[in-house]
Amino acid sequence: MKWFGASLLALSACSPAPIQGPVAINGSSRTVAVHGECTPIALDRVDSLTVDGGKVVVHGSAKNVTLGLPASVAAPEPDRHWALVTDGVAAGKRALTFTHDTTLDDFTIELPPGDADIHYGVLAGDVMVLAWGTGSRSYSCVLTIAHTVGGSVGH
């Protein structure tokens, strides 16, 4: 079992409404485009993410959930180049900004509002996995990060 990613504590004064189904997540910047979706997961809370047996596993207090990944991820291996640098609120949503440690590319995504710790990791092939939750409101996101070149998406 390999641990990957990090977590960040964010505080909020109110409890958000739960996500009812898949929510499309898109983000972009001058150099990257990010696409994917967030879905509810059946956990009482999210404690961590791991790569175990070639699969991404979200750990809760009493059970775990294995996430489906895009076909482009043949063998999940952690890639630690992206860092969460900002966790805030924008237009009533939770705004997260990530920066790459060597290229300094960055992007911002907006998630449904929440106050639970964000656990995340990036897999080789530029696939980011996020999970968060508490009080039986737990969620996961699987996002693809594509580098843009001259206004078009490429790798």
Side-chain angles (χ1 to χ4, degrees):
M1 177 182 340
K2 296 178 185 174
W3 294 90
F4 76 108
S7 65
L8 177 76
L9 173 64
L11 302 174
S12 176
C14 60
S15 180
I19 297 172
Q20 297 299 317
V23 174
I25 302 294
N26 296 297
S28 64
S29 72
R30 190 174 49 79
T31 57
V32 297
V34 180
H35 305 286
E37 70 178 19
C38 289
T39 57
I41 53 176
L43 292 176
D44 62 334
R45 69 176 191 232
V46 173
D47 292 332
S48 64
L49 289 171
T50 61
V51 174
D52 190 12
K55 299 182 185 276
V56 174
V57 180
V58 183
H59 299 268
S61 66
K63 67 178 187 173
N64 304 326
V65 172
T66 300
L67 300 181
L69 296 172
S72 63
V73 181
E77 286 296 323
D79 179 352
R80 302 191 191 321
H81 290 288
W82 289 97
L84 177 59
V85 294
T86 305
D87 182 351
V89 178
K93 295 186 177 183
R94 190 172 191 176
L96 305 177
T97 300
F98 293 87
T99 300
H100 193 277
D101 67 347
T102 56
T103 65
L104 301 182
D105 291 332
D106 66 352
F107 65 87
T108 298
I109 56 172
E110 292 181 347
L111 302 177
D115 58 2
D117 292 353
I118 294 283
H119 299 270
Y120 73 98
V122 180
L123 304 171
D126 285 335
V127 172
M128 179 176 283
V129 179
L130 299 102
W132 69 97
T134 188
S136 297
R137 291 183 179 178
S138 297
Y139 308 96
S140 68
C141 293
V142 177
L143 307 170
T144 302
I145 304 166
H147 298 274
T148 58
V149 179
S152 63
V153 177
H155 290 281

